[in-house]
Every structure is written in structure tokens, then in C-alpha cells.
Amino acid sequence: MKLLSTTVIFILMSNALAGVPPESIIAWGRHVGPYYLECHIVTGVDPVLARELLSSADLPNNLPLTCFSECFFSKPGISKSDGSVSKLNIVKSVLTLPHGTEEIPQKCLDKANDITHLCEKAHVIYLCAVEMFSKTNILYSRIPNCSSNKD
């Protein structure tokens, strides 16, 4: 458990450097934290890439890493074994995060619409969301009297 907590804290700190709002990082860490170790073991993903996945939208598209993303989606019912993605569940998941909007999952689902391989689809959606949350934080930081701690 200590290793899992340390890993999640490291991931959250790394993600903060990527520009994702800190409160979104903490909320996402709570969301995926329970699955992190299991997903890591099941996919055999390189631990360095696993950490970077949560802090960068610019990563290689290798099978263990893409399936690591999909594992995070399958646990809360976002992705289904038939290869589809539940729009309702992904919207619900994103809306639980600070600065989450319906626009984020919709744009990311559209971006991955033609991808048939479930791991690759989840990975594209995930990286798209990281990128959009980073842009959200940049937007908030440029508005006077508006910090990333405000909705």
C-alpha cells in the first residue's frame, strides 16, 4: 500500500508540471489510484512510461502503455469488452473532476471515433483529455483574479 501511495503521489506531482489543474490531478488520482497497481501488473507497462502517461500527452503508442490506459477505463465501466466506450460513463467521470466539462469527453471521443482497437482508443481518449485539461489550466491562469482553485 505504501508503494501505491508513493507512486500515486509521484504521478500527481509529475502531472502538475504538465499544466493540468492541481485539483483535477488529485481528483483523478483518487479515481485511478485503486486500479494503478493492478493495471500496471496486468499490462506489464514500463513503470517510467506509466508515470509519464499521467504527466504528458506526448508518449509512444506501444501496446502495454495503450492497454494501461484502457485498464483505467475498464474499471469504472468507461470502456466495454465489446470495444465500445460508454459516453455516459466517461462524461460522468470527467464531470467529477474540477474544471471537467462535457466538451472534453466529446472532443476526445470524436478524436478516437474511427479507432477499433480498444486499447488504442482508450489511449487516444486519455491523452486527449490530459491535453485538454492542460489547456484549461492555461486558460484559467491567464484570466485576472482567477486561479486553478476556482471553478
Side-chain angles (χ1 to χ4, degrees):
M1 188 65 177
K2 185 177 180 181
L3 174 63
L4 177 61
S5 298
T6 304
T7 302
V8 170
I9 289 168
F10 178 79
I11 289 166
L12 297 177
M13 290 176 7
S14 298
N15 215 355
L17 299 175
V20 176
E23 61 275 11
S24 295
I25 297 166
I26 291 167
W28 183 246
R30 286 185 189 129
H31 189 69
V32 301
Y35 317 123
Y36 182 85
L37 188 57
E38 179 184 349
C39 291
H40 181 270
I41 291 168
V42 168
T43 62
V45 69
D46 178 332
V48 172
L49 289 178
R51 285 191 303 268
E52 289 179 15
L53 174 64
L54 299 169
S55 65
S56 175
D58 185 30
L59 290 171
N61 193 12
N62 70 40
L63 191 59
L65 186 61
T66 61
C67 289
F68 186 68
S69 298
E70 193 281 323
C71 185
F72 283 149
F73 278 27
S74 67
K75 298 300 178 187
I78 293 172
S79 64
K80 302 176 186 178
S81 59
D82 67 0
S84 65
V85 175
S86 169
K87 181 178 178 181
L88 177 64
N89 287 347
I90 196 169
V91 168
K92 281 182 183 178
S93 184
V94 168
L95 290 178
T96 65
L97 303 174
H99 308 292
T101 66
E102 287 189 31
E103 176 188 23
I104 292 171
Q106 186 56 57
K107 282 190 175 190
C108 296
L109 285 168
D110 290 347
K111 188 172 185 174
N113 190 48
D114 295 332
I115 300 171
T116 56
H117 189 274
L118 188 53
C119 289
E120 185 179 345
K121 179 179 277 201
H123 191 63
V124 167
I125 293 168
Y126 185 86
L127 294 179
C128 172
V130 168
E131 182 179 345
M132 290 191 70
F133 270 100
S134 294
K135 288 178 181 176
T136 299
N137 196 39
I138 290 167
L139 174 66
Y140 276 98
S141 69
R142 291 185 181 165
I143 299 172
N145 300 320
C146 187
S147 72
S148 63
N149 292 328
K150 295 182 181 178
D151 288 326

